[in-house]
Amino acid sequence: MAARLLDGKSLAAQVRVAVKREVEALAQRGIRPGLAVLLAGENPASRVYVRNKVRACEETGVRSDLYELPASVSEEALVDRVLALNDDPDIHGILVQLPLPKQVDAHEVLETIAPAKDIDGFHESNLGALLAGRPRMVPCTPAGVMRLLEHAGVPLAGSHAVVIGRSNIVGKPLALLLLQRDATVTLCHSKSRDLENLARSADILVAAVGRAKLVTGRMVKPGACVIDVGVNRLSDGSLAGDVDFAAASEVAGWITPVPGGVGPMTIAMLLENCVRAAGASK
Ligand code: GUN
């Protein structure tokens, strides 16, 4: 294998140590960071993500309150819950796990979260701050990707970054963060023509689509940095990213594994955002 591994598991563990120290410092000021997690319905992937988030809170001394709501929950009930948490001085972060059941307009619920407690960075005011080049709460997965790139010393300024996937959660905010670091950014999506050639022109190639093996070895420029945000459950029960890891790692200069790449960094950035929100609360 030619590529160097971008080890998110190990970097996330380092971040958690720093978060734990920050939690101890906040305790001196009489503050215990508190995160409320709202989980609606039975989506198995969401349940795993939430379990991992709650476990990371426990490990670092962040209080976490999990609200498990039925798949039939109304938008009004969710909005009311968020409003109550906005007013709760012991809660510094509110996380509404997505996707929400289809009868609920996720946008309405996310816009109800007080921006200062929006540790996912999904509120329009936080996304707008990012667009304006003055980031406040930055969405956790894009923040985790940037931290991995910075930690590995991947050159960003002047590089061509190609991001495949234009979601509000990953693709769009990540494109803005890369732009802010002076990368030239191409944001691709399902209608993009000639994805293969676009991808092959990337110094930094990010796949955030949710389709196993979307990125083949042929789509990777020799020496490029390949970031795999995808988590796909295969029919045999195993996990795979959006990148054909075996093929891409023969060509790439750096690559993230799945699992153990971006996923742990998402949770680490969530903890950081929550602790920062708590620190700013008094
Ligand atoms: N669903 C998939 N990724 C995320 C995330 O980062 N935050 C939330 N709230 N839901 C998600």
Side-chain angles (χ1 to χ4, degrees), residues 49 53 95-99 120 122 140-141 169 266:
Y49 293 143
K53 289 170 186 177
L95 184 150
V96 177
Q97 186 65 29
L98 302 177
D120 256 328
F122 295 162
C140 303
T141 300
I169 296 182
T266 296

Side-chain angles (χ1 to χ4, degrees), residues 44-201:
S46 291
R47 299 194 84 81
V48 172
Y49 293 143
V50 163
R51 193 172 61 220
N52 290 340
K53 289 170 186 177
V54 167
R55 192 178 297 152
C57 286
E58 279 164 9
E59 192 191 318
T60 47
V62 173
R63 168 184 155 188
S64 65
D65 294 351
L66 173 59
Y67 295 89
E68 293 187 80
L69 305 156
S72 60
V73 68
S74 68
E75 186 176 309
E76 192 188 3
L78 274 168
V79 163
D80 286 348
R81 174 68 65 189
V82 169
L83 288 171
L85 292 165
N86 283 347
D87 287 339
D88 183 340
D90 294 329
I91 290 298
H92 308 96
I94 302 171
L95 184 150
V96 177
Q97 186 65 29
L98 302 177
L100 287 172
K102 56 186 177 311
Q103 73 277 11
V104 177
D105 182 342
H107 185 254
E108 288 300 319
V109 177
L110 296 176
E111 286 305 298
T112 306
I113 299 174
K117 296 190 178 189
D118 171 36
I119 39 74
D120 256 328
F122 295 162
H123 192 283
E124 283 177 2
S125 74
N126 285 320
L127 290 171
L130 181 59
L131 183 69
R134 305 176 68 86
R136 293 196 293 251
M137 290 288 190
V138 175
C140 303
T141 300
V145 170
M146 295 306 291
R147 189 69 63 87
L148 270 174
L149 293 171
E150 284 157 11
H151 184 75
V154 176
L156 298 175
S159 71
H160 183 204
V162 173
V163 179
I164 312 175
R166 58 177 154 182
S167 70
N168 288 345
I169 296 182
V170 183
K172 283 190 224 167
L174 181 57
L176 291 169
L177 289 168
L178 288 162
L179 188 61
Q180 205 170 358
R181 296 295 304 271
D182 299 321
T184 303
V185 182
T186 303
L187 185 51
C188 303
H189 47 79
S190 54
K191 302 277 195 304
S192 295
R193 262 185 280 128
D194 205 6
L195 186 63
E196 198 164 303
N197 271 325
L198 286 170
R200 207 180 300 126
S201 70

